[in-house]
Amino acid sequence: MFDAYAHDADRYWNDDHPVLELIRARQAASSAPGSRVDGFKLGLAVEGGGMRGVTSAAMLVALDDLGLRGVFDAVYSTSSGSINAAYFLSGDDCWYPLTIYFDDLCTRKFVNMRNMFNNRPMLNLDYAFDEVLEVIKPLDFEKVLKSPAEFHVTISLVDSLTAINPHEFESREDLKSALKASCWMPVAVPGTGMFRGERALDGGVLTAHPHLLALEDGCTHVLSLSTKPLKAPPVRLTPGRRWSVAYLERIQKGLGKAYAASQFQYRSQRKQLQRWMTDPSPGPQVLDLAPLPWMKEVGNQTRDRDALIEAARHAHAVMAAAIQGIPVSELRDGSFRSVPRIVTVRTADGKRIS
């Protein structure tokens, strides 16, 4: 019987996978959104997961380092992956916002587990959105709105039990509202957020992974950035997820059950994703890159700076290796690896100026 999680000689993906071949061909042709001639639609799916989003953020840095920002036609994102994707699409240096995870978010200003006992947010979204994104390391919302690639932000609507992924935003405030709603992680942030007058939660509640949206939207090829290591997910819901199911049911009847169904569906889907890495399907092509099995998974509410930096290094190296055709064995033995970049910046009144 084929085991999608058993790999021979560190073969986790094909070096000539159709998604990789399309990315390389577009880079060689200096192809840009709106002027494609290859007839394909290439989507970039960016998963988040609270602090675990440092993984997809580092993968985006690797894509930026390799000059691949312009090869994608549309970006599909959820949770903290939406923030990562927004910085990526803004056109600024991705290394600087990556430091948000280990400079600005791994403090009690953002993560405070003690608050679980007094019904206060364990994740302070107001700090993240009103201080970090606006003042400390400003996100250029206007550049994101003008991006030539479509930007889809996944949101779970509570009362209708539906998932939406808007990509046409009326203003910077509309975009900011979508990003905040997509990051409204159940339990960690009490209650619900709001998007265009409707109660909303983290996009991952009803859409387990944004690559599904890319396929629904007609992408012929999808580069999927996952934040959990490439290994079999739990057969049953973990105690934490069972608590989330009960919590969501209290918010809206049927929401917890819909969340559980989404998680179970994705379990089988991810196994198929791993099969497609080395045995591409005849239909839409999906390459799902993620930390490799021996790489430690980051918790969605971790404040361990060393763990966050290590996760970023690993994820950056995985993406760089896949794009450049570097053998996975070199990642395992450390002969190919990513190291932190140290640069200087000058700020004035909290605004970055160089």
Side-chain angles (χ1 to χ4, degrees):
M1 181 179 295
F2 179 83
D3 183 353
Y5 298 100
H7 296 273
D8 180 31
D10 284 334
R11 182 171 169 261
Y12 291 90
W13 58 79
N14 287 351
D15 290 339
D16 61 350
H17 191 282
V19 171
L20 294 174
E21 295 285 77
L22 179 59
I23 289 172
R24 294 163 184 156
R26 284 188 171 184
Q27 183 181 39
S30 299
S31 175
S35 60
R36 311 290 191 200
V37 295
D38 53 36
F40 300 118
K41 183 175 182 179
L42 174 60
L44 176 64
V46 188
E47 187 180 30
M51 297 298 285
R52 200 171 65 242
V54 70
T55 299
S56 55
M59 290 183 178
L60 292 172
V61 170
L63 290 173
D64 189 24
D65 287 345
L66 293 169
L68 298 173
R69 198 195 304 260
V71 304
F72 302 99
D73 300 302
V75 178
Y76 306 82
S77 60
T78 189
S79 191
S80 56
S82 299
I83 305 300
N84 300 338
Y87 276 110
F88 180 72
L89 291 174
S90 74
D92 292 332
D93 183 357
C94 288
W95 273 99
Y96 192 58
L98 172 64
T99 65
I100 286 173
Y101 284 95
F102 39 84
D103 279 351
D104 308 299
L105 298 186
C106 62
T107 71
R108 285 203 174 93
K109 286 184 178 180
F110 181 63
V111 181
N112 192 338
M113 299 299 290
R114 298 174 183 174
N115 286 344
M116 73 171 65
F117 302 109
N118 55 24
N119 199 38
R120 295 175 60 191
M122 287 179 276
L123 299 181
N124 187 345
L125 294 185
D126 289 338
Y127 165 71
F129 279 86
D130 298 335
E131 293 190 43
V132 179
L133 269 68
E134 293 283 3
V135 179
I136 300 174
K137 287 166 184 169
L139 170 63
D140 194 329
F141 289 92
E142 296 302 327
K143 284 186 178 179
V144 179
L145 291 170
K146 295 175 182 177
S147 170
E150 287 184 0
F151 181 32
H152 297 249
V153 179
T154 315
I155 300 167
S156 300
L157 297 182
V158 172
D159 297 304
S160 61
L161 303 180
T162 57
I164 61 172
N165 60 104
H167 68 278
E168 295 180 340
F169 301 99
E170 301 168 0
S171 64
R172 78 183 305 279
E173 289 305 318
D174 190 42
L175 172 57
K176 183 178 178 181
S177 175
L179 294 174
K180 191 170 185 178
S182 188
C183 291
W184 204 285
M185 187 177 294
V187 181
V189 187
T192 67
M194 296 292 293
F195 179 65
R196 295 177 180 173
E198 298 189 65
R199 292 198 299 165
L201 287 172
D202 189 313
V205 171
L206 296 178
T207 303
H209 198 288
H211 86 275
L212 300 170
L213 303 174
L215 295 176
E216 290 175 6
D217 197 41
C219 287
T220 60
H221 297 69
V222 182
L223 178 62
S224 169
L225 313 187
S226 291
T227 58
K228 294 181 179 179
L230 293 176
K231 57 185 179 183
V235 176
R236 300 179 180 83
L237 290 177
T238 63
R241 292 196 184 278
R242 289 199 297 272
W243 168 251
S244 295
V245 169
Y247 175 86
L248 291 168
E249 280 294 315
R250 291 197 298 272
I251 290 179
Q252 173 68 30
K253 186 176 181 181
L255 185 59
K257 292 180 180 178
Y259 165 70
S262 174
Q263 293 298 310
F264 282 124
Q265 180 185 29
Y266 180 56
R267 183 186 182 280
S268 61
Q269 289 169 337
R270 188 160 193 200
K271 191 169 186 177
Q272 181 64 63
L273 284 178
Q274 298 312 303
R275 181 178 291 113
W276 288 343
M277 299 269 273
T278 54
D279 185 21
S281 69
Q285 304 294 329
V286 182
L287 180 68
D288 183 48
L289 296 179
L292 298 172
W294 66 85
M295 297 175 178
K296 186 177 180 180
E297 181 178 347
V298 173
N300 57 22
Q301 295 172 47
T302 187
R303 289 197 298 114
D304 186 333
R305 179 178 282 105
D306 290 341
L308 291 166
I309 293 174
E310 189 70 4
R313 292 180 59 185
H314 285 158
H316 185 276
V318 167
M319 177 60 71
I323 297 295
Q324 298 177 92
I326 306 296
V328 171
S329 59
E330 293 190 24
L331 288 171
R332 186 187 287 275
D333 66 23
S335 56
F336 181 84
R337 57 183 177 172
S338 297
V339 297
R341 175 193 292 188
I342 299 177
V343 298
T344 57
V345 297
R346 176 174 289 148
T347 61
D349 299 326
K351 300 290 186 179
R352 182 188 178 193
I353 60 175
S354 67

